[in-house]
């Protein structure tokens, strides 16, 4: 089987199911994102899902950024 995906093998075949349970897709400031919920209730940006190239030039949406509600 061949998978054509931008996701890493660790995300497709996780070793720990608890890690995937804390990850979700959200809309933040009008942009779709793949995030991981942290213990304090904030979210860490894992991947920005956008078709607008300008979104990727915005430092607010850099992977690893902590998003607060």
């Amino acid at each position: 089987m061949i998978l054509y995906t931008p996701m890493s093998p660790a995300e497709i075949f996780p070793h720990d199911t608890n890690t995937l349970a804390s990850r979700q897709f959200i809309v933040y400031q009008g942009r779709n994102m793949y995030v991981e919920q942290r213990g304090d209730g904030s979210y860490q940006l894992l991947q920005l899902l956008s078709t607008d190239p300008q979104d990727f030039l915005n430092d607010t949406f850099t992977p690893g950024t902590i998003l607060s509600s």
Side-chain angles (χ1 to χ4, degrees):
M1 172 174 33
I2 298 174
L3 297 175
Y4 294 99
T5 177
M7 298 175 71
S8 69
E11 290 175 315
I12 297 170
F13 307 109
H15 297 285
D16 183 15
T17 56
N18 292 334
T19 303
L20 271 185
S22 64
R23 294 184 177 185
Q24 57 189 325
F25 291 95
I26 65 167
V27 177
Y28 180 77
Q29 294 184 0
R31 286 142 181 109
N32 294 318
M33 301 178 182
Y34 186 54
V35 297
E36 182 173 15
Q37 188 169 17
R38 300 172 41 149
D40 61 357
S42 63
Y43 293 97
Q44 182 176 10
L45 176 60
L46 299 175
Q47 184 178 15
L48 175 64
L49 305 168
S50 177
T51 57
D52 184 359
Q54 291 299 317
D55 288 344
F56 294 95
L57 297 175
N58 189 340
D59 290 338
T60 306
F61 307 122
T62 303
T65 301
I66 305 301
L67 307 172
S68 58
S69 305

